[in-house]
């Protein structure tokens, strides 16, 4: 994977962006199609408010067409009946094509979502490639079982794909969150209909075309653009969809479970919101290193990260030194700027509406008596959607800023006196996606890992991991896991075949 090309300047990227012609349709049956009713929706560049493209806005009839296309591909077996090695080869070629189109995809992602281009090239795209290649490699590593029986019987346990899977994904890592669903789903032999987030759909449409270019049969990977309450809801209610796999907010996750109940009891796999605590114990071994990671844990991707470490719980003995270093490190590292500039480390928020919501939460925290140590407002002009990196002190457990997901560059910092108090504060949340503990004592770390109500816990680090790490939450952060071979199995169902040999 080529990393950010240091010889490319902001102007080079801007010139390349001007040459792009983003695909604007849905992707159904291997080709780009417009909405049946002709409806469209705008894609806006959040860094400057300019229109990038008008893309198709799907309704129920468009979802019906996409599901019918996927269902036809499922029924005739053009994908699931290929040998594991053939499917593996298609996914490997898909990864190669994504790599070859890295610059185009990075530009589309940056224009559509506002993510700094260096982040797309150095973080998102390498992760996307690792994901496709990992699940491609897993395809022929899965076994069934032959159980112990009497001689006159034979019992096989096999894993089969589910059928048509609907994937509904968010805008914060548009390609990567989609790929965490697509790669295991397709590797397992399913057909898929993806509904990407309406705020940033452009790269996902390219991924669909590249799948076909890689030799993926038409109709196996379909995509319908549109808004959640229209195309998303239609997909989640569809009687021919066997599973909905979702990443997004907890509120929408709850709706999806209801839609499954109202329709066909389809499986619903949810990766939802978070409010992750980072706990800094008094014996941590290196305050500078801990602060460094804490800053990245909240401000990477402008805080638009489900597992963002948005609650900093700091032992009182460290509190003043921690805050002082945190502020200095933030000011050194995170400068909001033009996301097409390769030196930019923080882009705008993904949309005007989201920026307004984040600023409202900061204002509410101040009205309730908390204070902004840094940040607290928008920055870099009216036409863009930037929010300055913000640290809030003086918040109490019951305040909305501590309890509710902000999904922006906003952290709270709170002091604690004892381990029990830290754990109580950490677990006092409807969410349980991730947490971190900083301590030099292994026993303390082990005890706290066991006590933390979170699906992912980091010790003396934040955000580390690889494809072997099951990623997902406890409590209202979700009910499933992305990554890891378990994710591949979650797109399959178990069949028991009992043979009477008499
Ligand atoms: P969102 O829930 O508003 O939207 C996510 C997707 O759901 C979009 O494609 C949207 O169109 C669709 N949708 C909205 N309403 C729908 C409906 N009624 N029926 C069907 N689909 C509908 O979330 P968002 O604002 O795009 O993303 C931010 C959220 O995603 C945050 O809460 C964040 O924590 C979460 N997230 C979680 C993870 C994880 O792995 N746990 C990863 C990334 C983001």
């Amino acid at each position: 994977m080529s990393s950010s090309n240091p010889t490319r300047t902001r102007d080079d990227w801007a010139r390349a962006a001007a040459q792009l012609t983003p695909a604007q349709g849905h992707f159904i049956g291997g080709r780009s199609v417009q909405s049946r009713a002709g409806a469209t929706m705008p894609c806006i560049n959040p860094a400057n408010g300019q229109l990038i493209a008008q893309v198709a806005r799907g309704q129920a009839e468009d979802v019906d067409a996409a599901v019918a296309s996927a269902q036809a591909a499922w029924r005739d077996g053009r994908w699931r009946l290929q040998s594991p090695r053939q499917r593996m080869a298609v996914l490997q070629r898909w990864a190669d094509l994504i790599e070859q189109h890295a610059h185009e995809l990075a530009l589309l992602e940056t224009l559509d979502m506002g993510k700094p281009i260096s982040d797309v090239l150095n973080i998102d795209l390498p992760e996307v490639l690792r994901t496709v290649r990992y699940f491609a490699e897993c395809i022929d590593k899965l076994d069934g079982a032959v159980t112990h029986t009497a001689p006159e019987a034979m019992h096989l346990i096999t894993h089969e794909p589910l059928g048509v899977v609907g994937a509904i994904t968010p805008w914060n890592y548009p390609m990567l969150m989609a790929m965490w669903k697509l790669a295991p789903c397709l590797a397992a032999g399913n057909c898929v209909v993806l509904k990407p987030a309406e705020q940033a759909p452009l790269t996902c449409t390219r991924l669909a075309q590249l799948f076909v270019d890689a030799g993926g049969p038409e109709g196996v990977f379909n995509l319908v653009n549109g808004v959640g309450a229209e195309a998303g809801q239609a997909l989640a209610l569809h009687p021919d969809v066997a599973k909905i796999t979702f990443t997004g907010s907890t509120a929408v996750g709850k709706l999806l479970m209801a839609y499954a109940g109202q329709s066909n009891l389809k499986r619903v796999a949810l990766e939802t919101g978070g409010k992750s605590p980072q706990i800094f114990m008094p014996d941590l071994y290196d305050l500078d290193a801990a602060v460094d990671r804490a800053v990245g844990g909240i401000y990477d991707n402008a805080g638009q990260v489900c597992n963002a470490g948005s609650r900093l719980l700091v032992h009182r003995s460290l509190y003043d030194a921690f805050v002082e270093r945190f502020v200095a490190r933030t000011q050194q590292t995170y400068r909001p700027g033009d996301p097409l500039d390769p030196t930019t480390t923080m882009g705008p928020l993904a949309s005007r509406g989201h920026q307004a919501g984040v600023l409202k939460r900061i204002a509410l925290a101040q009205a309730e008596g908390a204070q902004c140590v840094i940040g607290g407002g928008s920055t870099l002009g009216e036409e863009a959607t930037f929010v300055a990196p913000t640290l809030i002190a003086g918040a109490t457990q019951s305040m909305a800023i501590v309890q509710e997901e902000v999904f922006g560059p906003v952290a709270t910092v709170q002091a604690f006196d004892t381990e029990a108090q830290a754990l109580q504060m950490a677990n006092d949340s409807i969410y349980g996606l991730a947490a971190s503990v900083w301590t030099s004592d292994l026993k303390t770390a082990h005890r706290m890992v066991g006590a933390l109500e979170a699906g992912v816990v980091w010790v003396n680090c934040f955000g580390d991991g690889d494809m072997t790490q099951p990623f997902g939450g406890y409590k209202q952060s979700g009910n499933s896991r992305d990554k890891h071979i378990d994710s591949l199995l979650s797109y399959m169902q178990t069949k028991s075949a009992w043979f009477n040999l008499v």
Side-chain angles (χ1 to χ4, degrees), residues 136-430:
E137 286 159 10
C138 286
I139 294 181
D140 64 356
K141 314 294 183 294
L142 289 181
D143 290 327
V146 181
T147 65
H148 292 284
T149 52
E152 62 274 13
M154 180 173 71
H155 180 213
L156 303 183
I157 299 175
T158 54
H159 304 293
E160 297 184 339
L162 298 166
V164 176
V165 173
I168 301 178
T169 52
W171 46 259
N172 60 335
Y173 291 82
M175 270 186 289
L176 183 59
M177 292 301 96
M179 196 55 87
W180 280 5
K181 313 297 188 193
L182 295 167
C185 175
L186 291 167
N190 298 286
C191 298
V192 66
V193 177
L194 170 66
K195 207 300 281 172
E198 53 270 40
Q199 296 86 348
L202 297 177
T203 47
C204 285
T205 315
R206 278 302 280 143
L207 294 180
Q209 177 66 58
L210 291 175
F211 177 76
V212 172
D213 295 347
E218 294 171 356
V220 170
F221 177 179
N222 305 273
L223 176 145
V224 178
N225 284 311
V227 303
E230 297 168 1
Q233 185 185 38
L235 186 59
L237 282 169
H238 205 290
D240 293 333
V241 170
K243 170 171 176 163
I244 285 288
T245 177
F246 171 75
T247 297
S249 62
T250 295
V252 172
K254 291 179 183 182
L255 289 177
L256 297 178
M257 293 191 109
Y259 298 155
Q262 288 160 25
S263 53
N264 60 343
L265 275 190
K266 55 178 66 68
R267 295 171 185 214
V268 181
L270 304 175
E271 302 287 349
T272 52
K275 192 76 186 170
S276 302
Q278 306 194 58
I279 304 176
F280 301 89
M281 298 300 284
D283 64 348
L284 61 77
Y285 66 95
D286 181 345
L287 185 60
D288 285 326
V291 167
D292 207 17
R293 301 303 299 277
V295 167
I298 179 59
Y299 297 134
D300 280 352
N301 209 35
Q304 301 165 119
V305 183
C306 52
N307 61 259
S310 53
R311 292 189 291 143
L312 306 168
L313 306 179
V314 184
H315 190 266
R316 201 173 300 280
S317 64
L318 302 175
Y319 185 88
D320 290 341
F322 181 96
V323 171
E324 189 186 317
R325 286 171 206 215
F326 188 96
V327 169
R329 191 72 187 146
T330 301
Q331 287 166 345
Q332 270 166 15
T333 314
Y334 288 94
R335 285 175 310 283
D338 182 344
L340 282 181
D341 182 338
T343 64
T344 293
T345 48
M346 183 180 271
L349 299 195
S351 68
R352 169 76 61 212
H354 185 48
Q355 181 203 34
V358 170
L359 293 175
K360 205 166 132 191
R361 287 176 187 282
I362 297 171
L364 176 63
Q366 290 172 307
E368 287 183 336
Q371 309 90 41
C372 290
V373 183
I374 46 168
S378 60
T379 178
L380 299 183
E382 286 301 303
E383 65 287 351
T385 58
F386 291 92
V387 171
T390 299
L391 180 66
I392 294 182
T396 56
Q397 271 307 112
S398 59
M399 287 185 189
I401 198 70
V402 171
Q403 292 296 332
E404 294 175 9
E405 187 180 35
V406 177
F407 217 58
V410 182
T412 54
V413 59
Q414 297 169 275
F416 67 85
D417 294 301
T418 63
E419 178 184 319
Q421 191 189 5
L423 287 169
Q424 194 280 328
M425 292 164 84
N427 289 336
D428 175 22
S429 172
I430 63 166

Side-chain angles (χ1 to χ4, degrees), residues 79 82-96 98 127-142 179-189 211 214 467 483-485 487-489:
W79 179 242
Q82 287 190 21
S83 74
R85 282 264 151 194
Q86 282 175 307
R87 277 188 278 127
M88 187 188 287
V90 171
L91 294 188
Q92 296 285 20
R93 278 198 298 274
W94 192 26
D96 295 344
I98 292 168
E127 280 294 319
V128 165
L129 294 175
R130 270 192 283 278
T131 304
V132 191
R133 289 177 174 145
Y134 173 84
F135 285 109
E137 286 159 10
C138 286
I139 294 181
D140 64 356
K141 314 294 183 294
L142 289 181
M179 196 55 87
W180 280 5
K181 313 297 188 193
L182 295 167
C185 175
L186 291 167
F211 177 76
M467 287 307 299
K483 304 165 76 181
H484 192 266
I485 201 162
S487 168
L488 180 55
L489 282 169

Side-chain angles (χ1 to χ4, degrees), residues 21-36:
T21 44
Q24 306 189 352
H26 312 299
F27 192 81
I28 299 176
R31 61 193 185 91
S32 178
V33 296
Q34 293 306 314
S35 295
R36 295 198 167 193

